[in-house]
């Protein structure tokens, strides 16, 4: 196989699972003829419509140069065999989706051949996972139908088949309702254009910004997606993340005040009446069997203080508010089931008794499936949350936090139990459409390739080359795509280890580190390994006590050493309450109970929106066996440091 031929086949993203090259090549006409055989009416219609919009001339079988044919059992579901050679091009598949993906592969090859002949080859391909998803958060910032359709066009190229729309949340309701007009007029609007201003301004409703997608818009989206073998899954949040609903209909909250509540009252029948009505409207728009009903991050205090919720718990012998949540979710699931639908819930809903056996779990908390009792779609925050920084924070627009570059997303491997993989774009910090695309692409390519291609077909270097090609194609079509050719990459300190006098030496914790962010445990501050752009990379150790005491460690250098420098780096990311220390003290000496203060640094706390790093240290000359490093934070918050460097 020549390099040229390899390069051509590899121009397909996600990378196909099997490619065999044959002799010869096939030159397609500018507008090749294409026929569709043995497909049912709806597949024929969809494929013919799509093909003619994409430069094929749909004809009868005899004279066509591209022949699409359904052959039952010829491939796994959604798989295809694409044969290029001899008499032209033949795509066979078990179902219409398979023909569609075969056509996508052909279109990639055609585009790559750029008017020249396509080498003969046979591609035998089928997806690794049946659920290959992308989630768009339309609540935090309103987006138009056109925006959603543009992303559907990006999805079709990537063989993604589920579009999960997060349509309801505190920041705005986005589904037009006939039955509940205050959702359209009040819950869908706010006085501030950005989520950030709205959040800082006390979460007011009504005003100039926002809107619902009309039923017709939503139906158009569903149809547009279906034409591309993509199922749209709507998410209606419950029992929590429902502030906007409660602002419009306060009687659905526990204290009937609406404002200040996030949960539907689980004790009141009015809540269930509302949910049934809304689900009726939703099911009328969205034919998807799966409906996402949220279930994440429900605070339980509101229910514990509510007489009706307490009565409900007593009535059904529910031991905890978590069990009340399960009861709530199962009751809604019963309603869905009576209409032939099933629920997807976030893994938070596994609390208590969990959802019914029919539910699918969407796992965002961990990197392993959160349950073995249900089908699980993986969408781990650490790898699949595309609202995190994709490059050095100082070079990027403000993001919610985290550092998840393309390579990290690509490196994630779902457990064999997973039925799906999904990339999520939460939009608190993403006001504009172009910013949303910038965050989605190319990281969404990585999600798509992991979801479609077998693990042994993945190759990071080859992937990056294809990313460049696909990104430039998308830019030509007007998409905003992050440019990996100018990627800065991880924090320089994190790229290689650092050698110093304390490396490998024992650390005694005079104050404990935070168990939530242990990094590598007791050896972490002297292991020579520095952290990256975010505290969540398991290289930064957290310190989060309620007293001002944070870091206080004693390092034993094992023998007296000549010292010239001691320092540690801290990071500040105000929004999640990560701060610089306000006082640092550095001591050294030979008697651990009687050390000499070498330096004291005081820092006035300054909130900022930038992620920042700062060294706190001492330079000079002293000989000592022990070093003590102490950092306090009287104003509260968490401290993170990665290494105490002694030279
Ligand atoms: C958690 S993931 C949330 C969302 C936020 C997201 C921000 C999940 C089920 N809930 O409401 O937008 O974090 O990354």
């Amino acid at each position: 196989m020549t390099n040229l031929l390899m390069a051509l086949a590899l121009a397909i993203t996600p990378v196909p699972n099997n490619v065999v090259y044959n002799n010869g090549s096939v030159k397609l006409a500018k507008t090749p003829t294409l026929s569709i055989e043995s497909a049912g009416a709806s597949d024929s219609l969809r494929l013919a419509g799509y093909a003619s919009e994409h430069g094929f001339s749909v004809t009868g079988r005899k004279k066509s140069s591209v022949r699409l044919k359904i052959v039952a059992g010829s491939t796994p579901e959604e798989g295809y065999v694409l044969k290029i050679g001899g008499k032209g091009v033949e795509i066979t598949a078990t179902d219409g989706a398979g023909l569609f993906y075969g056509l996508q592969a052909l279109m990639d090859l055609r585009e790559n051949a750029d008017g020249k002949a396509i080498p003969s080859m046979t591609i035998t391909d089928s997806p690794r996972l049946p659920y290959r998803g992308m989630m768009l958060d339309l609540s935090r910032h309103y987006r138009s139908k056109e925006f959603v359709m543009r992303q559907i066009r990006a999805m079709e190229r990537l063989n993604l088949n589920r579009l999960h729309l997060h349509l309801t949340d505190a920041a705005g309701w986005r589904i037009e309702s006939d039955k509940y007009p205050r959702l359209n007029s009040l819950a869908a609007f706010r006085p501030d254009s950005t989520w950030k201003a709205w959040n800082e301004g006390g979460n007011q409703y009504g005003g100039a910004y926002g809107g619902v997608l009309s039923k017709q818009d939503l139906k158009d989206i569903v149809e547009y997606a279906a034409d591309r073998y993509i199922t749209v899954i709507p998410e209606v949040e419950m029992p929590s993340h429902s502030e906007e609903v409660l602002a419009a209909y306060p009687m659905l909250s526990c204290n009937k005040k609406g404002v200040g509540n996030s949960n539907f009252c689980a004790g009141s029948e009015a809540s269930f009446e509302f949910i049934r009505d809304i689900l009726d409207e939703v099911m009328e728009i969205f034919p998807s069997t799966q409906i996402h009903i949220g279930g994440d991050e429900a605070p339980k205090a509101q229910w514990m203080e509510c007489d009706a919720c307490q009565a409900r718990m007593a009535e059904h012998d529910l031991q905890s508010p978590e069990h009340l949540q399960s009861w709530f979710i199962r009751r809604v699931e019963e309603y869905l089931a009576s209409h032939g639908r099933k629920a997807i819930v976030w893994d938070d809903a596994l609390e208590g008794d969990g959802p019914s056996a029919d539910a699918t779990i969407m796992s965002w908390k961990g990197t392993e499936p959160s349950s073995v009792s249900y089908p699980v779609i993986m969408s781990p925050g650490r790898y699949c949350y595309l609202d995190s920084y994709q490059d050095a924070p100082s070079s990027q627009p403000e993001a919610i936090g985290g550092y998840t570059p393309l390579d990290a997303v690509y490196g994630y491997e779902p457990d064999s139990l997973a039925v799906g993989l999904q990339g999520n774009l939460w939009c608190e910090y993403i006001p504009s459409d172009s910013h949303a695309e910038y965050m989605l692409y190319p990281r969404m390519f990585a999600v798509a390739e992991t979801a479609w291609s077998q693990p042994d077909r993945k190759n990071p270097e080859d992937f990056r080359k294809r990313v460049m090609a696909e990104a430039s194609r998308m830019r030509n079509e007007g998409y905003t795509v992050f440019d990996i050719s100018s990627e800065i990459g991880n924090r320089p300190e994190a790229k290689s280890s650092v050698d110093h006098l304390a490396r490998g030496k024992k650390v005694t914790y005079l104050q404990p580190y935070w168990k939530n962010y242990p990094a590598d445990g007791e050896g972490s501050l002297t292991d020579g390994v520095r952290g990256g752009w975010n505290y969540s990379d398991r290289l930064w150790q957290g310190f989060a006590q309620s007293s001002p005491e944070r870091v206080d460690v004693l390092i034993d250098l094992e023998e007296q050493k000549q010292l010239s420098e001691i320092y540690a780096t801290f990071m500040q990311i105000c929004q999640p309450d990560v701060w610089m220390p306000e006082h640092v003290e550095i001591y050294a000496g030979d008697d651990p109970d009687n050390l000499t203060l070498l330096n004291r640094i005081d820092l006035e706390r300054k909130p900022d929106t930038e992620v920042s790093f700062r060294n706190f240290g001492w330079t000079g000359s002293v000989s000592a066996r022990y070093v003590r490093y102490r950092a306090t934070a009287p104003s509260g918050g968490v401290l993170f440091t990665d290494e105490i460097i002694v030279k």
Side-chain angles (χ1 to χ4, degrees):
M1 190 194 321
T2 68
N3 283 341
L4 173 74
L5 293 186
M6 265 184 78
L8 278 168
L10 293 178
I12 301 171
T13 300
V15 66
N17 285 303
N18 189 289
V19 184
V20 175
Y21 294 89
N22 305 314
N23 290 328
S25 62
V26 168
K27 184 149 173 16
L28 287 178
K30 197 151 185 274
T31 310
T33 49
L34 177 145
S35 63
I36 303 161
E37 216 184 304
S38 312
S42 84
D43 283 326
S44 294
L45 208 64
R46 281 199 248 188
L47 291 163
Y50 188 86
S52 29
E53 273 170 33
H54 290 81
F56 295 89
S57 153
V58 181
T59 59
R61 173 165 178 254
K62 290 231 168 63
K63 36 186 176 146
S64 64
S65 50
V66 178
R67 294 175 296 279
L68 272 54
K69 188 175 180 182
I70 299 260
V71 180
S74 63
T75 63
E77 275 176 40
E78 299 184 284
Y80 65 90
V81 178
L82 167 63
K83 275 192 195 136
I84 298 177
K87 283 167 256 132
V89 178
E90 196 178 276
I91 304 173
T92 46
T94 291
D95 49 32
L99 292 181
F100 184 73
Y101 298 131
L103 187 60
Q104 290 298 331
L106 175 64
M107 284 165 51
D108 282 346
L109 292 171
R110 180 182 64 170
E111 193 156 331
N112 213 58
D114 198 19
K116 300 189 190 69
I118 305 175
S120 295
M121 69 179 88
T122 302
I123 300 182
T124 308
D125 202 10
S126 58
R128 175 182 180 185
L129 298 172
Y131 182 117
R132 304 178 299 281
M134 169 159 120
M135 191 211 81
L136 296 176
D137 167 8
L138 305 187
S139 169
R140 272 57 179 263
H141 291 94
Y142 172 85
R143 313 263 183 230
S144 67
K145 157 176 120 175
E146 288 72 25
F147 170 83
V148 177
M149 287 177 170
R150 251 166 92 77
Q151 310 326 312
I152 290 173
R153 290 198 292 278
M155 289 175 73
E156 80 202 24
R157 305 198 60 104
L158 299 169
N159 299 3
L160 294 167
N161 66 355
R162 298 286 189 280
L163 174 61
H164 166 185
L165 295 180
H166 187 76
L167 290 163
T168 75
D169 211 306
W173 178 273
R174 305 288 174 231
I175 311 166
E176 181 190 22
S177 171
D178 294 326
K179 195 121 192 212
Y180 297 92
R182 283 172 63 78
L183 295 176
N184 314 330
S185 60
L186 187 79
F189 288 93
R190 63 187 187 212
D192 312 276
S193 65
T194 67
W195 178 88
K196 215 180 153 190
W198 172 77
N199 196 45
E200 281 161 6
N203 302 11
Q204 301 295 310
Y205 292 97
Y209 298 97
V212 289
L213 286 147
S214 72
K215 289 192 170 178
Q216 193 54 50
D217 283 348
L218 292 168
K219 285 180 183 170
D220 291 347
I221 289 170
V222 167
E223 194 186 314
Y224 195 76
D227 283 345
R228 289 152 176 82
Y229 293 89
I230 295 167
T231 303
V232 182
I233 299 175
E235 180 183 356
V236 183
E237 275 275 20
M238 62 188 81
S240 196
H241 277 275
S242 297
E243 290 86 342
E244 85 291 21
V245 175
L246 306 179
Y249 295 97
M251 64 282 213
L252 302 176
S253 64
C254 287
N255 64 9
K256 317 290 177 219
K257 291 201 179 87
V259 175
N261 290 273
S262 60
N263 296 3
F264 287 101
C265 175
S268 154
E269 282 308 297
S271 300
F272 295 94
E273 193 187 324
F274 172 86
I275 289 168
R276 283 194 300 267
D277 288 343
I278 285 298
L279 288 176
D280 285 346
E281 295 195 73
V282 164
M283 290 186 288
E284 202 259 315
I285 300 167
F286 298 94
S288 163
T289 307
Q290 292 183 308
I291 306 279
H292 202 310
I293 56 170
D296 59 315
E297 302 179 313
K300 308 296 183 303
Q302 296 157 42
W303 288 347
M304 292 309 278
E305 286 156 15
C306 165
D307 291 343
C309 289
Q310 291 306 304
R312 186 77 88 187
M313 284 174 66
E315 176 194 347
H316 296 282
D317 198 19
L318 304 166
Q319 301 96 50
S320 73
E322 286 75 21
H323 291 85
L324 180 59
Q325 172 174 297
S326 310
W327 175 86
F328 188 115
I329 284 172
R330 286 176 181 229
R331 187 162 169 197
V332 174
E333 285 188 83
E334 271 172 36
Y335 189 69
L336 288 176
S338 71
H339 290 76
R341 311 294 182 106
K342 292 179 179 184
I344 300 180
V345 290
W346 296 109
D347 49 357
D348 315 54
L350 290 165
E351 295 170 348
D353 297 318
S356 83
D358 282 338
T360 294
I361 307 297
M362 193 168 270
S363 245
W364 68 282
K365 299 195 161 227
T367 53
E368 300 286 322
S370 41
S371 169
V372 291
S373 314
Y374 303 85
V376 178
I377 297 157
M378 292 308 299
S379 188
R382 202 171 142 73
Y383 298 100
C384 293
Y385 272 35
L386 308 182
D387 54 341
S388 54
Y389 286 100
Q390 59 191 324
D391 201 358
S394 59
S395 70
Q396 296 300 305
E398 188 186 8
I400 199 160
Y403 170 59
T404 315
L406 180 68
D407 293 351
V409 182
Y410 195 67
Y412 176 66
E413 273 303 310
D415 183 278
S416 60
L417 286 172
V419 299
L421 181 68
Q422 180 170 288
N424 290 345
L425 190 68
W426 300 104
C427 288
E428 286 97 326
Y429 288 83
I430 307 177
S432 75
D433 288 1
S434 63
H435 187 182
E437 289 178 357
Y438 177 85
M439 301 304 271
L440 282 169
Y441 312 113
R443 289 184 292 181
M444 204 60 220
F445 304 178
V447 174
E449 183 144 310
T450 303
W452 179 278
S453 310
Q454 292 300 326
D456 64 355
R457 296 291 290 164
K458 289 172 66 180
N459 172 328
E461 285 98 60
D462 173 63
F463 175 67
R464 279 185 89 86
K465 284 189 207 138
R466 285 180 287 115
V467 163
M468 304 277 268
E470 183 72 26
S472 80
R473 177 158 50 198
M474 284 181 76
R475 271 185 220 109
N476 288 341
E477 290 171 20
Y479 287 89
T480 307
V481 181
F482 170 72
D483 184 4
I484 56 163
S485 70
S486 60
E487 187 174 358
I488 295 168
N490 205 353
R491 185 170 167 246
E493 288 85 344
K495 288 180 179 167
S496 58
S497 61
V498 50
D499 213 5
H500 59 95
L501 294 175
R503 187 167 177 184
K505 299 293 187 281
K506 185 177 172 356
V507 175
T508 305
Y509 284 80
L510 305 172
Q511 296 292 338
Y513 57 81
W514 191 19
K515 295 287 178 278
N516 291 12
Y517 289 87
D520 207 14
E522 301 230 322
S524 195
L525 295 182
T526 52
D527 60 2
V529 180
R530 311 281 319 263
W533 294 124
N534 195 268
Y535 56 86
S536 62
D537 66 2
R538 299 176 193 184
L539 300 174
W540 291 89
Q541 194 162 57
F543 297 85
Q545 313 204 78
S546 50
S547 76
E549 299 300 326
R550 294 293 188 278
V551 181
D552 196 355
V553 293
L554 184 70
I555 302 169
D556 181 358
L557 301 173
E558 290 164 16
E559 56 188 332
Q560 206 183 59
K561 292 268 169 66
Q562 190 59 38
L563 312 183
S564 61
E565 183 175 22
I566 300 168
Y567 73 94
T569 310
F570 289 81
M571 76 164 69
Q572 180 158 301
I573 311 179
C574 305
Q575 184 252 329
D577 208 23
V578 176
W579 296 93
M580 296 289 172
E582 289 162 272
H583 308 289
V584 168
E585 286 168 359
I586 298 165
Y587 303 82
D590 294 326
D591 174 2
D593 297 322
N594 188 17
L595 300 173
T596 311
L597 179 66
L598 300 180
N599 196 18
R600 180 183 159 98
I601 305 147
D602 300 308
L603 182 77
E604 197 189 321
R605 186 169 274 196
K606 281 207 190 71
D608 52 19
T609 54
E610 301 271 296
V611 177
S612 56
F613 298 84
R614 187 178 168 132
N615 295 342
F616 293 75
W618 158 87
T619 53
S621 174
V622 72
S623 94
R625 172 174 169 176
Y626 293 94
V627 169
R628 181 173 168 193
Y629 194 103
R630 182 164 176 254
T632 60
S635 314
V638 186
L639 263 50
F640 278 94
T641 188
D642 56 345
E643 186 82 1
I644 295 175
I645 294 174
V646 181
K647 290 181 173 164

